[in-house]
């Protein structure tokens, strides 16, 4: 037996109470983990290179197309390095619910503009060379079990070919990954040329144009010049950083960050009050026992620590189980939502933050009862029978 | 140290409580010596200050003025932390209502004071076993207090009080909650600890029959002691 035995025995003295407290803590951390995973999915692609790249879209909104000629004209703006135009393809595989995020791109410029995409050299060349080639992101390839060399029919729910068909036969020539895991890889790219030539309607237009510059400190000037170039034309543009564009895109779903903060905040405020008051009550019930321990020679600091450890233990048992369940649930959700939300999962940052929350919860709910326990006066506590 | 050297010396001891504007004096200028190996019964009316005196002797409470010397060293001016260590090393406490931890077994209850020592787990186990055997509770080591009778609980409490081998046992009405027969058994155990193991015992009691087991009886009244000659 040691102090830890006493801590554990005290925590589980009233089993039902301990279990209920743990469940409430567990739920708070489950909510935290699930919402954190969701936030990760929504905030992907707003870091790193996305801060430096520019994106030009139609000023009305990004679903309205830009003329083909803008590609060449933007290239003329001073300081622009690479111009990589792209169009939504809006594909699905076999069944309409098997949504496949897909873009028609100009392979050479796109790969140049997105250096974080990692290709095997031979696959990269094959993709650029082959008209009917597609490059598939690792996450998407895993989801459908696609391999290089396979031929897949990709259906579009937006476009139609001149022969009336909505199926594009694509050869998987490359599977790419993301260098450091900060960008989603749950999409595929096909050749803009192949796509454009086969179209029945809507030819010679793009939905967005990604731009890299020679010097990122010039980005403000360059975006202004691009937008001025097309001012008063039928298709005016709006040029921002890719990060801002991605964030604006996600804003469609509401201010996720703010909602999450409020929900998590409410969950933790509730938990703090429930656990805090219960701990105070639980320790008050033990005033007499604490007085006995002190009589035997347990010092006040030692008793303080024991009560604090009890609160920390409670917080960690509930918290770790909750976080574990959240990670499992996120994994399940990730498989179900793979086509829509990239990498719905918990990061190490989430886990460490959660552990910091557990420590904070334990300390905050433990400090008052620990203080009370430390200050128990033996003669008073033993005097009341 | 021979059997009549002083274990405790109380010098000019006063204890007062202030309740609002009122000051209640429990003792005033009390002098007293307790010898090593003594077994003292302290009697006196309710509210006369018996528990207060035990608390002063046990380093739980501090006097308003005066000195408490234990083996020639003052303990009344020690810090709370030092007093806690002093209690762990020198005094064993026995209460009227046993005060065992309900979640711990008898053996674990007895082991509690040893958590404050540097003894190994094995040495602690041996000590606990011996202490329980001395009080005749060797068979009940794995029982919880709720599974024991009052007398058995008090035996476990006595084992807890002696396990760290303190010099003095301080008992506040140790038989106050027990029937005559059980009380006598407990008192005989205390006598044994006094006679065989040389423990100095100071016991508060209301019960003259209990007091008669002691070597010395002191009556506390209005802050003064009257020694009662033994028959
Ligand atoms: N913390 C305190 N504050 C004020 N007065 C106190 C305090 N503790 C004890 N007293 C008073 O001191 C007096 C002596 O109390 P004590 O508990 O020592 O009596 P006792 O002789 O043990 O009585 P009993 O036989 O009923 O146990 C009582 O009048 C009591 O009310
Ligand atoms: Mg009393």
């Amino acid at each position: 037996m040691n102090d830890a035995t006493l801590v554990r025995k005290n925590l589980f003295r009233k089993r039902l109470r301990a279990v209920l407290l743990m469940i409430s803590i567990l739920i708070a951390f489950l909510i935290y983990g699930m919402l954190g995973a969701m936030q990760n999915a929504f905030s992907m692609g707003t870091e790193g290179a996305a801060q430096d790249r520019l994106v030009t879209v139609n000023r009305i909104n990004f679903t309205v197309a830009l003329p083909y000629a803008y590609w060449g004209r933007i290239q003329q703006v001073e300081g622009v390095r690479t111009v990589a135009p792209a169009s939504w393809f809006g594909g699905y595989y076999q069944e309409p619910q098997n949504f496949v995020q897909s873009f028609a791109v100009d392979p050479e410029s796109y790969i140049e503009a997105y250096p974080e995409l990692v290709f095997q050299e031979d696959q990269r060349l094959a993709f650029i060379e082959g008209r009917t080639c597609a490059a598939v992101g690792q996450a998407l390839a895993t989801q459908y079990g696609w391999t290089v060399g396979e031929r897949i029919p990709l259906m579009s729910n937006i476009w139609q070919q001149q022969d009336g068909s909505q199926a594009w036969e694509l050869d998987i020539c490359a599977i790419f990954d993301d260098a450091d895991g900060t960008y989603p890889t749950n999409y595929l790219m096909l050749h803009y040329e192949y796509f454009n030539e086969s179209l029945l309607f809507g030819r010679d237009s793009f939905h967005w144009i990604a731009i890299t510059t020679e010097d990122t400190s010039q980005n403000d000037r360059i975006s202004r010049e691009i937008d001025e170039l097309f001012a008063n034309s039928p298709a005016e543009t709006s040029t921002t950083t890719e990060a801002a564009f991605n964030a604006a895109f996600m804003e469609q779903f509401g201010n996720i960050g703010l909602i999450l903060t409020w929900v998590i905040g409410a969950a933790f405020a509730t938990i703090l009050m429930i656990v805090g008051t219960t701990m105070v009550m639980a320790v008050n019930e033990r005033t007499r026992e604490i007085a006995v321990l002190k009589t035997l020679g347990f010092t006040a600091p030692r008793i303080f620590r024991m009560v604090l450890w009890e609160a920390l233990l409670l917080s960690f048992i509930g918290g770790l189980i909750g976080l574990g369940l959240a990670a499992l649930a996120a994994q399940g959700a990730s498989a179900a939502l793979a086509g829509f939300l990239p990498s719905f999962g918990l990061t190490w940052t989430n886990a460490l933050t959660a552990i910091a929350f557990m420590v904070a919860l334990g300390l905050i709910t433990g400090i008052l009862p620990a203080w009370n326990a430390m200050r128990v006066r033996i003669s008073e506590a033993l005097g009341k029978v | 140290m021979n059997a009549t050297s002083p274990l405790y010396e109380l010098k000019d001891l006063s204890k007062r409580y202030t309740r609002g504007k009122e000051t209640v004096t429990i003792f005033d200028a009390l002098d007293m010596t307790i010898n090593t190996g003594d077994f003292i019964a302290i009697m006196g009316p309710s509210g006369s200050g018996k528990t207060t005196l035990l608390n002063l002797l046990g380093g739980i409470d501090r006097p308003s003025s005066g000195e408490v010397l234990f083996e020639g060293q003052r303990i009344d001016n020690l810090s709370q932390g030092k007093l806690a260590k002093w209690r762990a090393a020198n005094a064993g406490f026995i209460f009227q209502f046993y005060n065992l931890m309900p979640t711990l077994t008898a053996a674990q209850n007895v082991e509690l004071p040893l958590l404050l020592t540097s003894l190994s787990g094995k040495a602690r186990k041996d000590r606990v076993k011996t202490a329980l055997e001395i009080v005749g509770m060797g068979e009940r080591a794995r029982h919880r207090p709720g599974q024991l009778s009052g007398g058995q609980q008090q035996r476990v409490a006595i084992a807890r009080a002696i396990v760290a081998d303190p010099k003095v046992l301080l008992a506040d009405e140790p038989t106050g909650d027990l029937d005559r027969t059980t009380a006598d058994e407990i008192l005989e155990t205390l006598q044994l600890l006094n006679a065989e193991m040389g423990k100095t015992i100071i016991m508060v009691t209301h019960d003259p029959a209990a007091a008669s087991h002691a070597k010395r009886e002191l009556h506390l009244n209005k802050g003064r002691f009257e020694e009662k000659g033994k028959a």
Side-chain angles (χ1 to χ4, degrees), chain A residues 194-210:
Chain A
Y194 169 50
F195 159 78
N196 192 44
E197 282 166 10
S198 60
L199 284 180
L200 177 62
F201 59 86
R203 273 205 217 176
D204 295 333
S205 63
F206 302 117
H207 283 112
W208 79 93
I209 300 171

Side-chain angles (χ1 to χ4, degrees), chain A residues 1 288-289 294-295 297 302, chain B residues 84 87 99 102 108 115 124:
Chain A
M1 186 173 70
R288 199 180 172 83
E289 287 171 36
K294 284 189 143 183
T295 307
R302 188 165 180 154
Chain B
R87 288 196 297 271
N99 284 335
Q108 287 172 323
L115 297 187
R124 295 206 305 243

Side-chain angles (χ1 to χ4, degrees), chain A residues 59-120:
Chain A
R59 193 170 174 153
I60 300 167
N61 70 44
F62 57 76
T63 61
V64 181
L66 297 170
Y68 188 91
Y70 284 20
W71 184 6
R73 291 188 63 189
I74 291 172
Q75 195 74 69
Q76 303 303 314
V77 175
E78 196 199 323
V80 166
R81 185 192 292 163
T82 311
V83 183
S87 278
W88 302 111
F89 183 80
Y92 64 89
Y93 178 58
Q94 292 170 337
E95 305 287 336
Q97 60 266 34
N98 293 340
F99 176 70
V100 175
Q101 244 189 85
S102 33
F103 320 133
V105 305
D106 168 55
E108 257 188 293
S109 61
Y110 197 89
I111 291 172
E112 204 179 309
Y114 289 81
E116 64 269 31
L117 301 182
V118 181
F119 284 88
Q120 279 178 30

Side-chain angles (χ1 to χ4, degrees), chain A residues 1-3 5-6 9-10 13 288-290 292-300 302 377-379 382 385, chain B residues 55 60-61 81 84-85 87-88 93 95 97 99 101-104 108-109 111-113 115-116 124 144 160:
Chain A
M1 186 173 70
N2 50 34
D3 284 12
T5 319
L6 292 179
K9 295 246 178 198
N10 280 331
R13 138 177 331 222
R288 199 180 172 83
E289 287 171 36
I290 291 164
V292 172
L293 286 179
K294 284 189 143 183
T295 307
L296 297 181
F298 284 73
T299 59
R302 188 165 180 154
R377 305 253 321 234
I378 299 173
S379 52
L382 292 183
V385 175
Chain B
N55 286 347
I60 286 170
D61 212 349
K85 289 205 174 66
R87 288 196 297 271
F93 294 85
F95 309 91
F97 297 104
N99 284 335
M101 304 288 153
T103 53
L104 302 182
Q108 287 172 323
N109 266 288
E111 196 182 345
L112 278 177
L115 297 187
L116 306 169
R124 295 206 305 243
R144 278 175 214 288
R160 180 178 67 186

